[in-house]
Amino acid sequence: MAEERERLEVDVAIVGGGPAGLAAAIHLVREAQRRGVEPPAVAVLEKAEEFGAHSLSGAILDPRGLDALIPDWRNQNVPVEAEVSQEAMLYLTETGQYKVPWLPPMMQHHGSFVVSLQKLVAWLATQAESLEINLFPGFAAVALLREDGRVVGVRTGDRGIDKRGNARGNFEPGYEVRARITLICDGVRGNLSQALIRDAGLSEGKNPQLYNGGAKEVWRVPDGRFAPGRVLHTMGWPLRSDTFGGAFLYGMQANLVAVGLVAGLDSPDPRLNVQERLQELKTHPYIRAILDGGELVSYGAKAIPEGGYWAIPRLAVDGAMLLGDAVGMLNSMRLKGIHLAMESGMAAAETALDALAADDVSAARLSAYERRLKDGPAGQELYKVRNFRQPYQKGLVHGMIHTALQFVTGGRGVRERYPAVEDHHRRARLSEYRRPAPATPPYDGKLILDRMTDVYHSATRHEENQPAHLLVVDPDLCRTRCREEFGNPCEKFCPAGVYEMIKAEEGGVKLHLNFSNCVHCKICDIADPYGVIFWVPPEGGEGPRYKST
């Protein structure tokens, strides 16, 4: 579009209004006040319609990050559900369960809190507002602005473009948000962070990032079924021994229970579907007894970065830093990352203040962020579990053996750095994967639900008359080679039913995108075996509208 774009100039632009971005914004202002200097002008861009609407997590909050960010938060009206009061790990078989007799300290959650991440992020946004930080919900950043090799801000997406790329009557060009420093915390497989990591070679010499796919439902159950603060994790069934993952149930207020399942996207099974496996989990007698007679409140899905310490890319370039889930700030052993995202935001904020004071936003100056982060509690925690996830690429038993070795060697195991293979390279072709297809759960419309019922409860919404935000650069490959070799796994791995092979008028089949179903999980961008699917933001404000998640 040739229209001239409006420009907003700030000291610091923050892309992504999750825990990392909001922690960075809050700490920028509060730390400047503590230092007795004028707080920088800060703008936080969030693609969701409201802060928190795209925030999905388990979620258990380790309070360490919030304690550092807002020390008196316990005296404020913070929307935590309950402190963890009881927890257990179960090994499931198809009809039975066995309690793991001992939980290692690293996997215990006493002192942590069950939270709705959506509510917590919305509350953090109010804290940022009280500091007069500029918040821009509904603005999706679609491109980095660069001059002479330096990041100088971002461009937000145009609004009002039809599916053919033409301007509609409500067309509005995107904004240029110019900044001395840009903090990119656009989440798992973020469009800007991925482009910068690729273009600047920030992952050279690092392990590839590994991902889990997760699906979660929130249920309202009969009174007394599952107490607030009760935490239950499971391993084993319904996942096979060649697939990393497990399930969880977290007790919340108002008789709500969060139930979710996560599975490694490095599974060799080309037919793996996390939404279906979540439904199968609910057929287990132990889980059914908790949820039966309840009511589904909400559904969501997301990819989870699990590559760990060795997969974290370089974190700074001229004019920009990378934060949070965008770079894998998650402890895969604990499946916890909210506190780590906050700590990355605080470390980036302190580095940004130093750089602004020195009038030096070079990569050399901003690289102090990486040192600050890795020398701090976040880096120390991740280093202790640096080799946890990689050995599970060779199966459950192999992974558990190496986990035990790591417990007795301070996280090292048999070598200082375990290698890893990129997720989609682990997927087997149908001719190679001899195990039968997983059973389709017996949908009953009450407890065991199909994908469209779940998607309805994500409250996702997209304007149909706009370009699809899921780009398939070689759709012909879908009906030929991918169909023959993998059986069109996109129809399975998408937990929202976006990808569908339909009859073509000229005969055979073709790919059809139900992009309005998309819950922005990014699984397709990761699990596609040929690397031809790319997720980019739709118009700002669209996508899921998570509540109590």
Side-chain angles (χ1 to χ4, degrees):
M1 297 298 173
E3 284 81 355
E4 185 176 347
R5 300 182 186 278
E6 291 190 40
R7 177 180 294 191
L8 172 67
E9 296 191 0
V10 294
D11 295 309
V12 181
I14 299 176
V15 180
L22 288 171
I26 291 167
H27 197 59
L28 271 164
V29 173
R30 288 192 163 185
E31 179 65 11
Q33 292 171 342
R34 189 191 67 80
R35 297 182 184 186
V37 300
E38 182 71 19
V42 181
V44 183
L45 307 178
E46 167 54 41
K47 64 184 176 67
E49 182 179 53
E50 301 173 350
F51 280 83
H54 289 179
S55 296
L56 181 75
S57 179
I60 292 180
L61 172 70
D62 182 327
R64 190 180 72 203
L66 196 53
D67 285 341
L69 179 66
I70 305 175
D72 66 340
W73 69 268
R74 287 174 174 82
N75 299 322
Q76 302 186 40
N77 191 27
V78 183
V80 299
E81 299 292 325
E83 187 170 357
V84 174
S85 57
Q86 53 178 310
E87 60 180 319
M89 171 76 78
L90 300 180
Y91 183 87
L92 299 184
T93 64
E94 188 169 353
T95 58
Q97 66 279 340
Y98 303 91
K99 184 176 180 180
V100 176
W102 175 73
L103 285 178
M106 183 62 77
M107 301 178 72
Q108 295 177 12
H109 300 95
H110 291 300
S112 295
F113 294 83
V114 177
V115 299
S116 158
L117 186 59
Q118 176 263 321
K119 290 180 181 178
L120 180 63
V121 168
W123 179 81
L124 286 171
T126 67
Q127 302 303 296
E129 257 184 334
S130 71
L131 295 170
E132 300 183 350
I133 293 167
N134 298 303
L135 302 181
F136 296 94
F139 285 82
V142 299
L144 293 170
L145 301 177
R146 306 190 207 196
E147 292 179 357
D148 299 324
R150 180 168 68 89
V151 175
V152 295
V154 297
R155 178 172 63 80
T156 67
D158 298 334
R159 299 174 185 267
I161 298 177
D162 69 19
K163 58 186 178 183
R164 295 180 178 83
N166 301 315
R168 304 200 306 263
N170 62 342
F171 174 75
E172 295 179 12
Y175 287 78
E176 285 192 357
V177 182
R178 296 265 171 169
R180 296 168 68 189
I181 298 176
T182 303
L183 304 185
I184 304 170
C185 28
D186 55 352
V188 180
R189 203 79 170 191
N191 56 301
L192 298 190
S193 54
Q194 283 295 300
L196 187 59
I197 289 169
R198 179 183 62 249
D199 295 348
L202 300 182
S203 284
E204 291 178 4
K206 309 289 185 177
N207 279 8
Q209 186 61 262
L210 306 178
Y211 299 90
N212 274 7
K216 187 182 87 169
E217 297 172 348
V218 177
W219 283 76
R220 180 169 284 110
V221 300
D223 190 38
R225 284 277 182 88
F226 206 84
R230 182 182 174 190
V231 169
L232 179 66
H233 287 99
T234 80
M235 56 191 299
W237 189 90
L239 297 178
R240 293 170 168 171
S241 61
D242 60 7
T243 300
F244 177 81
F248 60 84
L249 287 89
Y250 300 153
M252 305 165 72
Q253 296 293 332
N255 293 320
L256 295 179
V257 179
V259 54
L261 179 138
V262 296
L265 296 182
D266 54 357
S267 170
D269 188 352
R271 297 156 301 198
L272 178 68
N273 181 310
V274 293
Q275 190 273 344
E276 287 186 357
R277 299 286 69 75
L278 174 59
Q279 304 314 305
E280 190 174 14
L281 172 77
K282 293 186 293 180
T283 68
H284 191 280
Y286 188 89
I287 308 300
R288 180 185 287 272
I290 295 170
L291 301 177
D292 211 12
E295 174 191 10
L296 178 63
V297 174
S298 65
Y299 168 78
K302 76 184 293 282
I304 304 164
E306 295 221 328
Y309 186 87
W310 299 121
I312 296 173
R314 298 201 317 274
L315 300 178
V317 298
D318 291 340
M321 293 177 273
L322 295 160
L323 291 68
D325 270 2
V327 293
M329 295 303 298
L330 182 130
N331 182 329
S332 57
M333 182 180 287
R334 302 176 71 197
L335 200 63
K336 301 294 168 282
I338 300 172
H339 65 295
L340 299 174
M342 289 181 175
E343 288 169 344
S344 73
M346 295 176 69
E350 292 175 13
T351 305
L353 285 174
D354 293 342
L356 291 172
D359 195 24
D360 179 4
V361 298
S362 67
R365 165 68 70 167
L366 297 182
S367 65
Y369 159 54
E370 184 167 344
R371 295 192 297 273
R372 183 178 263 126
L373 185 64
K374 289 190 173 181
D375 291 343
Q380 293 171 21
E381 178 180 335
L382 290 175
Y383 184 71
K384 289 177 182 177
V385 295
R386 59 194 179 277
N387 289 320
F388 169 72
R389 179 63 175 83
Q390 302 95 300
Y392 285 91
Q393 291 200 314
K394 295 184 179 180
L396 179 63
V397 173
H398 184 270
M400 292 180 70
I401 290 171
H402 282 268
T403 296
L405 290 171
Q406 290 162 26
F407 278 134
V408 299
T409 58
R412 183 182 186 277
V414 299
R415 60 178 66 88
E416 175 59 16
R417 174 177 167 179
Y418 282 46
V421 177
E422 196 170 356
D423 288 323
H424 68 268
H425 291 314
R426 293 272 304 154
R427 182 161 292 106
R429 288 167 172 77
L430 284 173
S431 61
E432 302 167 343
Y433 196 73
R434 303 298 184 183
R435 305 182 76 164
T440 300
Y443 304 121
D444 60 16
K446 297 178 181 178
L447 180 64
I448 314 303
L449 309 171
D450 61 24
R451 273 187 279 188
M452 292 306 97
T453 301
D454 264 340
V455 169
Y456 173 80
H457 285 87
S458 73
T460 196
R461 184 181 68 199
H462 298 83
E463 165 62 53
E464 294 275 0
N465 189 19
Q466 67 172 305
H469 64 280
L470 299 155
L471 308 180
V472 183
V473 298
D474 187 0
D476 190 58
L477 184 147
C478 302
R479 67 177 182 83
T480 55
R481 183 178 171 189
C482 185
R483 190 170 182 81
E484 296 165 2
E485 294 185 346
F486 294 98
N488 293 128
C490 61
E491 291 187 294
K492 283 293 186 181
F493 59 58
C494 175
V498 168
Y499 300 89
E500 183 182 9
M501 301 302 296
I502 63 173
K503 289 183 179 180
E505 293 181 2
E506 62 274 16
V509 296
K510 65 178 181 179
L511 178 65
H512 175 72
L513 297 178
N514 303 301
F515 73 85
S516 60
N517 291 353
C518 181
V519 294
H520 298 196
C521 69
K522 314 289 185 66
I523 289 174
C524 59
D525 196 299
I526 300 161
D528 164 31
Y530 299 102
V532 298
I533 297 176
F534 295 90
W535 186 97
V536 297
E539 281 194 7
E542 302 202 332
R545 285 156 179 78
Y546 294 135
K547 297 294 183 184
S548 298
T549 56

